[in-house]
Structure formats: structure tokens, C-alpha cells
């Protein structure tokens, strides 16, 4: 039989539960304050240790000039990092311009074979484009009614000259103009050589066809006639080009036109022969600008022994023009950040100090130095970005130590925490000694 709970016993039980809840909340509060205080003390000790360690760093490891930090390296570190040096000195700057070009014929070595009389092609001795011909080689035989008549007149004039030219004294010709000379001159005007005229006079017969000869040695690059074709005076029969020298026309940008002049050295590399450079010189710069491409042509004359360079090949041209002599450093030694340029200068004791420089013209692999470096100093030409990162790190650490490294710790040491007032959590914890509370567990 269960006991009957009275209203008084129910009220007591409710009060006991409320008291137990308040006690648990107080225990949790005390435990939180104690742990937080312990953590704060540990953090303070760690900050003090860090400040002490930073204050004890060697000043020699971060030696610096005003605003810059030097990097000090040993001989083995210089070898390991692959650091190389070059000297600041006077050099002759050379401006290099790179352009694309194409090989073409030497226009001074091109000849066309054209007749000066009308007729028909009796025979072609050179009948294919690309065929090689020599100077004085027969290329075509032309039958011309006009030439046949002129040859007949030549033979008649020769006979008359022999009969009418006899004077009163045997073997002595009379003076005055010769009919034979006039007939010879007429054939010369049709481009018939004296050797051909003499051959006609010796044989005493009219030649049916007159042979045309090549005026130059070279290659037939164009042929506009076939055997049996009728020809007219001035008609272009063949074009022969001498390929012992060729031209390369380089396309200069408008901005580079002032950096190249006649006589500049040009190194030409052809796509057909990669890695092989042929040296020539700029012989002429064309006076007009091509409006469509905004380029100016520069002509380079190249020797072509064996004819291995073919017209139409593409080429890469590097033209070098000497400029003035100036104080220079290698371009690889300069670090440019946009608003400043600097180099690492070698100091006594294997120290490398970054120094701002003011730059001028650039020529090839060197840059003119207007200020910031003097002749004879040695500058770093490799591994500059590694040195730059080390220098920036040293500068940051120097600034922290010299300006704000100890300020945080000193401020914490001088901070007035004040006496604990009544009613704090510590006092409340002391006031509850009589309570049965479990001890906080270690974290």
C-alpha cells in the first residue's frame, strides 16, 4: 500500500529540486572561470616566450641599410644557389630589331630574252621552266622574213663593196662611206651580233633562222613561248635569273623603322635550315610605307653559293645597329616591379644589398644605368628572386623587432588588472566551500 503524499511534502520536494538546479549552475560557472583563467595564464606565458625569442634574434642576420635589407651568404650558399655576377661598366649598346622576311630574286641579276623583229619560233633549245642556262647559250632560233631580206642585202653590199671599193692603185681602197657598213648597222639594230654577221659574209649564204642567246647565266624562271609560235618585236620569250645572290625583304614595323639603317648587320635564319644563321647587311631601306600592313621593307643581300636558298622561302631576320657607349648592367640583373627597378650589389663580407636604379635605353642584353650604380661594382645576374624574397623577409623581421616586436609584451606587462572586487566569480567560489561540489576534471 503506497503512502499518500500530502501537499506539504510536495512543496518540500519542489524546493529541493530548485535548489539542486541552482547548485549545478553555480558549479558549472565556477568550473568555467577556473579553466579560462588557467588558459589565459598559459597564453600569456607563450606570448612572453615568443617576445623574448624575437628580441634575442641576431642582428647580423638582418643587417640593413635605411629602407632596405641586405642578404648575407656564405661561399657554399652562393655555389648552391647558383648565384652569378657581372660588372657594371661602359659598353656599346646595340639595338636589335627582329622581323619576318621572304627571299626574292636579285633584281639586278634578272634578264629577259626578247626579239626585236617579228617572226616564228623555228626551234627551242631551252624548253622548260627551271632549266639552267649559261651566258651566251643558244635558247631559240627565229625565222623572220625581214631578217632574210636584210641578210640578202648584206651579201649584196659585201660584193658591191669589193668591186666599187677598188682604187686606181691595186689593193688600195678608195675613201668614203661603205655600203657594207650600212648593212651591218641595220642588222646590229635588230640585235644581231658581229660574229653572226661575219659568219653570213664568210659563208655567202642567207641563214633561214637567227639564233637568240642568253645574256646572263642563271635559271629560267619564266617561259612564255612554245615551238612554232609567232613572235612580235618586244615580246617576252623567257626570263632568266642569276641566283648566285638573293635578296631578303624584311618587314619592319613602323615603330622599328628608326632603329635600322643602311649598313646594319643582319643575321638571317631560314625556316628550311633551322639553327643556321647567314650573315648579311642591310643594303637598302625602301622609302615608302605599306599602308595595309603598316610596315617598311628593308633589303638584305645574301650570297647564295650552290643555289640552296630558294626565292619564296620565309626567313627570320635580326638586325643589329650599334648605338652610343653608356654605363650598363646586364638585363638579367634588373628586377622591375612596375614602380621601381633595382639590382643586388655585392658588398664586402659577401653581403648582397638591393639598390634602386634608374634605367635608360636598352640594347640587346644590356640596359643603360642613369643612376644607382657605379662602374666597377658587381651585380647579381641570377637567382635574384630568391634573394629578393630573403631580403623582404629580413626587412619585415627587422621592422617587427625595431618598431613593434616588444610593444605588445610591454603593454601587457604594464596593464593594470586591478584588485578583484567583491562579488566576482572567485569570491563566490570561496563562499561556496561548504557545498559538496565535484572538482573540475583536467582538460
Amino acid at each position: 500500500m503506497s503512502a499518500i503524499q500530502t501537499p506539504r511534502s510536495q512543496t518540500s520536494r519542489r524546493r529541493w529540486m530548485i535548489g539542486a538546479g541552482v547548485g549545478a549552475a553555480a558549479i558549472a560557472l565556477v568550473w568555467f572561470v577556473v579553466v579560462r583563467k588557467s588558459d589565459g595564464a598559459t597564453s600569456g606565458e607563450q606570448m612572453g616566450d615568443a617576445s623574448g625569442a624575437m628580441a634575442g634574434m641576431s642582428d647580423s642576420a638582418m643587417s640593413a641599410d635605411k629602407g632596405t635589407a641586405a642578404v648575407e651568404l656564405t661561399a657554399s650558399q652562393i655555389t648552391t644557389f647558383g648565384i652569378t655576377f657581372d660588372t657594371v661598366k661602359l659598353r656599346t649598346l646595340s639595338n636589335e630589331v627582329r622581323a619576318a622576311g621572304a627571299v626574292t630574286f636579285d633584281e639586278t641579276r634578272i634578264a629577259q630574252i626578247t626579239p626585236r623583229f617579228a617572226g616564228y619560233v623555228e626551234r627551242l633549245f631551252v624548253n622548260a621552266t627551271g632549266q639552267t642556262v649559261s651566258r651566251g647559250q643558244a635558247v631559240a632560233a627565229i625565222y623572220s622574213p625581214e631578217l632574210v631580206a636584210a641578210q640578202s642585202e648584206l651579201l649584196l653590199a659585201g660584193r658591191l663593196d669589193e668591186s666599187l671599193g677598188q682604187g686606181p692603185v691595186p689593193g688600195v681602197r678608195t675613201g668614203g662611206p661603205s655600203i657594207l657598213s650600212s648593212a651591218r648597222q641595220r642588222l646590229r639594230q635588230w640585235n644581231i651580233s658581229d660574229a653572226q654577221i661575219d659568219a653570213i659574209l664568210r659563208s655567202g649564204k642567207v641563214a633561214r633562222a637567227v639564233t637568240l642567246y642568253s645574256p646572263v647565266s642563271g635559271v629560267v624562271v619564266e617561259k612564255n613561248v612554245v615551238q612554232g609560235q609567232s613572235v612580235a618585236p618586244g615580246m617576252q620569250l623567257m626570263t632568266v635569273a642569276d641566283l648566285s645572290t638573293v635578296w631578303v625583304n624584311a618587314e619592319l614595323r613602323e615603330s622599328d623603322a628608326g632603329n635600322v639603317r643602311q649598313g646594319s648587320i643582319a643575321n638571317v635564319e631560314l625556316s628550311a635550315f633551322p639553327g643556321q644563321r647567314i650573315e648579311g647587311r642591310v643594303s637598302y631601306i625602301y622609302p615608302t610605307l605599306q599602308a595595309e600592313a603598316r610596315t617598311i621593307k628593308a633589303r638584305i643581300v645574301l650570297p647564295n653559293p650552290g643555289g640552296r636558298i630558294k626565292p619564296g622561302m620565309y626567313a627570320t631576320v635580326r638586325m643589329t645597329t650599334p648605338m652610343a657607349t653608356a654605363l650598363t648592367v646586364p638585363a638579367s640583373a634588373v628586377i622591375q616591379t612596375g614602380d621601381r627597378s633595382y639590382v643586388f650589389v655585392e658588398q664586402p663580407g659577401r653581403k648582397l644589398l638591393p639598390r634602386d636604379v634608374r634605367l635608360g635605353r636598352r640594347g640587346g642584353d644590356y640596359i643603360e644605368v642613369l643612376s644607382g650604380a657605379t662602374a666597377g661594382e658587381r651585380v647579381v645576374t641570377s637567382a635574384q628572386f630568391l634573394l629578393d624574397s630573403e631580403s623582404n623577409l629580413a626587412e619585415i623581421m627587422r621592422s617587427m623587432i625595431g618598431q613593434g616586436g616588444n610593444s605588445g609584451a610591454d603593454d601587457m606587462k604594464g596593464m593594470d588588472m586591478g584588485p578583484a572586487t567583491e562579488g566576482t566569480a572567485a569570491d563566490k567560489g570561496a563562499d561556496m566551500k561548504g557545498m559538496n561540489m565535484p572538482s573540475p576534471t583536467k582538460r
Side-chain angles (χ1 to χ4, degrees):
M1 183 175 177
S2 61
I4 300 175
Q5 295 182 354
T6 62
R8 184 174 182 179
S9 63
Q10 292 179 354
T11 302
S12 300
R13 182 178 179 84
R14 190 179 298 110
R15 290 177 178 177
W16 182 85
M17 293 178 64
I18 293 173
V22 172
I27 292 171
L29 178 62
V30 172
W31 177 83
F32 175 77
V33 171
V34 172
V35 173
R36 184 67 177 270
K37 185 176 181 181
S38 175
D39 293 344
T42 303
S43 299
E45 293 174 358
Q46 292 175 351
M47 290 181 63
D49 295 341
S51 300
M54 292 175 65
M57 291 183 67
S58 173
D59 294 336
S60 62
M62 295 179 294
S63 59
D65 285 355
K66 184 176 180 181
T68 57
V71 178
E72 184 175 353
L73 299 175
T74 63
S76 61
Q77 288 174 329
I78 291 176
T79 303
T80 301
F81 296 151
I83 299 174
T84 57
F85 299 89
D86 204 341
T87 306
V88 181
K89 62 182 180 181
L90 291 173
R91 296 181 178 92
T92 301
L93 291 175
S94 296
N95 188 21
E96 183 178 278
V97 174
R98 181 175 177 176
V103 180
T104 186
F105 299 102
D106 184 345
E107 295 178 4
T108 63
R109 295 175 179 267
I110 297 178
Q112 291 184 349
I113 301 174
T114 58
R116 298 183 182 181
F117 47 84
Y120 303 89
V121 179
E122 186 95 348
R123 184 178 178 186
L124 276 179
F125 302 105
V126 177
N127 53 10
T129 303
Q131 189 171 343
T132 302
V133 297
S134 302
R135 180 184 178 91
Q137 179 179 339
V139 295
I142 308 296
Y143 165 72
S144 172
E146 291 179 340
L147 282 179
V148 171
Q151 291 178 71
S152 299
E153 293 176 1
L154 175 68
L155 294 175
L156 179 60
R159 288 192 292 268
L160 289 175
D161 186 72
E162 290 180 357
S163 62
L164 298 177
Q166 299 292 334
V169 181
V172 179
R173 294 177 177 274
T174 59
S178 172
I179 301 176
L180 181 61
S181 299
S182 299
R184 278 178 173 270
Q185 187 62 32
R186 183 181 181 187
L187 289 174
R188 288 193 190 103
Q189 292 176 353
W190 280 332
N191 202 27
I192 307 300
S193 66
D194 288 338
Q196 291 174 298
I197 295 174
D198 293 338
I200 295 171
L201 290 173
R202 283 195 304 268
S203 65
K205 296 180 180 180
V206 174
R208 174 180 173 81
V210 177
T211 304
L212 301 182
Y213 300 91
S214 174
V216 295
S217 298
V219 177
V220 177
V221 295
E222 190 175 2
K223 186 178 77 71
N224 302 317
V225 65
V226 293
Q227 190 163 327
Q229 180 178 339
S230 62
V231 296
M235 179 179 176
Q236 178 182 334
L237 304 182
M238 297 180 188
T239 302
V240 180
D242 182 2
L243 298 181
S244 59
T245 61
V246 292
W247 288 355
V248 175
N249 287 329
E251 300 286 343
L252 300 178
R253 293 178 297 180
E254 187 175 359
S255 57
D256 293 332
N259 298 325
V260 178
R261 60 174 179 260
Q262 188 172 342
S264 297
I265 297 175
N267 288 311
V268 180
E269 184 174 349
L270 301 170
S271 302
F273 310 105
Q276 300 181 22
R277 292 189 178 182
I278 305 172
E279 184 172 323
R281 288 187 178 273
V282 177
S283 62
Y284 184 71
I285 297 177
Y286 288 79
T288 57
L289 177 75
Q290 299 183 80
E292 299 81 5
R294 308 301 300 173
T295 57
I296 297 176
K297 286 186 178 181
R299 179 196 303 163
I300 299 100
V301 179
L302 292 182
N304 187 26
R308 66 170 190 159
I309 303 176
K310 314 298 183 183
M313 286 183 173
Y314 289 110
T316 301
V317 184
R318 292 177 174 85
M319 289 157 283
T320 305
T321 304
M323 297 189 297
T325 301
L327 187 67
T328 62
V329 296
S332 59
V334 180
I335 300 177
Q336 295 179 329
T337 61
D339 57 344
R340 62 182 289 227
S341 301
Y342 58 96
V343 296
F344 278 91
V345 181
E346 184 183 24
Q347 301 292 316
R350 296 194 183 93
K351 291 183 180 179
L352 305 177
L353 180 67
R355 186 184 298 171
D356 287 339
V357 292
R358 189 161 62 94
L359 305 177
R361 296 165 295 179
R362 175 165 183 167
D365 297 330
Y366 296 95
I367 301 180
E368 180 183 9
V369 178
L370 301 177
S371 63
T374 58
E377 290 184 320
R378 299 215 316 160
V379 294
V380 177
T381 58
S382 63
Q384 302 95 317
F385 293 100
L386 174 62
L387 299 176
D388 184 40
S389 61
E390 293 291 332
S391 176
N392 292 336
L393 178 60
E395 173 63 19
I396 293 172
M397 297 302 293
R398 184 188 68 82
S399 300
M400 292 178 62
I401 294 173
Q403 299 176 6
N406 295 327
S407 59
D410 294 340
D411 293 342
M412 291 181 67
K413 291 179 181 179
M415 186 179 293
D416 186 9
M417 302 300 291
T421 57
E422 294 183 359
T424 61
D427 295 337
K428 290 182 180 180
D431 292 340
M432 294 192 301
K433 290 181 179 179
M435 296 181 63
N436 185 13
M437 295 180 295
S439 58
T441 60
K442 293 183 178 181
R443 300 178 62 183

